[in-house]
């Protein structure tokens, strides 16, 4: 069974930084595209960013709202995905989900989420 | 960006009813569409991918159809476990985008 477990969510001040982690098990991690999706409080879902697999040189894609501030990266040797978030604003307050994506790009398996609160 | 518009935003129904949710894309996405279900406080769960393919383990009362710009998710004979919020998601182009969600409530 595929399991994704996020960690690292916290309360952080505006302008601060935070790194989220996602530990994956039950899959050949290096074979999968991985995404971060967030959900603002009481709102819908918003895709944050994607990292492809090694044979695609771990290339990344980002939503415009986070491009230049957030970085998705992975360590296949640790079966782990990361989201480095810099220059955080109040609008980044959300539950952040780690997601395994299918080769065709749809979101297949979701983690349980980790809460990030940006507040002074 | 491809905009995804779901309707209705809220739907009230009885157990046993058949319901249909519509998702429209602002441009053609072929069949690059997925549906997921989310219950309060829980992570979303994939139901349908490639517009009409049922994810393993999902009950057959869920079905999806459509291509191009118009898609539907139908739940035949609603069960108590089905009261949740449903989202469509396109994966034809970046940025990947979701519909605004449809909440199915018990009437």
């Amino acid at each position: 069974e595929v399991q994704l477990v996020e960690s690292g969510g916290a309360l952080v001040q505006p302008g601060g930084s935070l790194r989220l982690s996602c530990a994956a098990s039950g899959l050949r991690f290096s074979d999968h595209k991985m995404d971060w999706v967030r959900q603002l409080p009481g709102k819908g879902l918003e895709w944050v960013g994607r990292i492809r697999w090694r044979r695609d040189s771990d290339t990344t894609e980002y939503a415009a709202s986070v491009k230049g501030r957030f970085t998705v990266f992975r360590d296949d040797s640790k079966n782990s995905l990361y989201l480095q978030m810099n220059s955080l604003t109040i609008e980044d307050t959300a539950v952040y989900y780690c997601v395994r994506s299918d080769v065709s790009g749809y979101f297949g398996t979701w983690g349980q989420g980790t809460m990030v609160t940006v507040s002074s | 960006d491809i905009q995804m518009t779901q309707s209705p935003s809220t739907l009230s129904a009885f157990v046993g009813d058949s319901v249909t949710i519509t998702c429209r894309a602002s441009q053609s996405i072929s069949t690059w569409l997925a549906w997921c279900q989310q219950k309060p406080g829980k992570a979303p769960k994939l139901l349908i991918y490639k517009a009409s393919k049922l994810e393993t383990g999902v009950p057959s009362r869920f079905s999806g159809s459509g291509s191009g710009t118009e898609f539907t998710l139908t739940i035949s004979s609603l069960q108590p476990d089905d009261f949740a919020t449903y989202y469509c998601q396109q994966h034809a182009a970046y940025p990947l985008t979701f519909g605004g969600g449809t909440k199915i409530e018990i009437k």
Side-chain angles (χ1 to χ4, degrees), chain A:
Chain A
E1 180 192 2
V2 176
Q3 280 202 313
L4 302 171
V5 180
E6 301 94 335
S7 60
L11 171 63
V12 60
Q13 291 191 332
S17 297
L18 196 64
R19 179 179 293 181
L20 306 182
S21 301
C22 171
S25 60
L27 76 167
R28 188 164 176 160
F29 182 73
S30 59
D31 285 351
H32 293 275
K33 299 178 191 180
M34 298 295 297
D35 290 81
W36 288 97
V37 175
R38 68 185 181 183
Q39 187 164 35
L40 281 62
K43 301 294 185 183
L45 300 165
E46 178 188 21
W47 172 73
V48 171
R50 165 171 287 176
I51 187 165
R52 297 182 182 87
W53 43 61
R54 186 176 302 172
R55 62 178 181 265
D56 279 343
S57 303
D58 291 348
T59 52
T60 53
E61 304 282 349
Y62 296 96
S65 59
V66 306
K67 196 169 186 177
R69 300 188 300 123
F70 289 13
T71 302
V72 181
F73 61 102
R74 64 194 298 163
D75 185 339
D76 291 346
S77 69
K78 295 182 178 179
N79 286 352
S80 291
L81 176 73
Y82 303 94
L83 180 65
Q84 177 66 42
M85 303 185 293
N86 298 330
S87 303
L88 284 161
T89 73
I90 293 172
E91 289 72 32
D92 296 316
T93 294
V95 174
Y96 285 74
Y97 294 101
C98 166
V99 189
R100 174 198 66 82
S101 294
D102 180 78
V103 63
S104 67
Y106 62 83
F107 302 129
T109 309
W110 298 67
Q112 87 287 350
T114 189
M115 182 71 205
V116 173
T117 302
V118 184
S119 175
S120 54

Side-chain angles (χ1 to χ4, degrees), chain B residues 47-91:
Chain B
L47 299 175
I48 301 276
Y49 62 96
K50 213 167 185 300
S52 62
K53 298 194 180 301
L54 200 64
E55 172 70 347
T56 303
V58 173
S60 59
R61 62 181 180 273
F62 291 90
S63 63
S65 66
S67 67
T69 62
E70 187 147 338
F71 302 85
T72 59
L73 173 71
T74 298
I75 312 172
S76 63
S77 188
L78 268 174
Q79 298 302 299
D81 193 49
D82 301 337
F83 292 92
T85 300
Y86 294 82
Y87 295 93
C88 60
Q89 175 243 325
Q90 67 82 17
H91 53 102

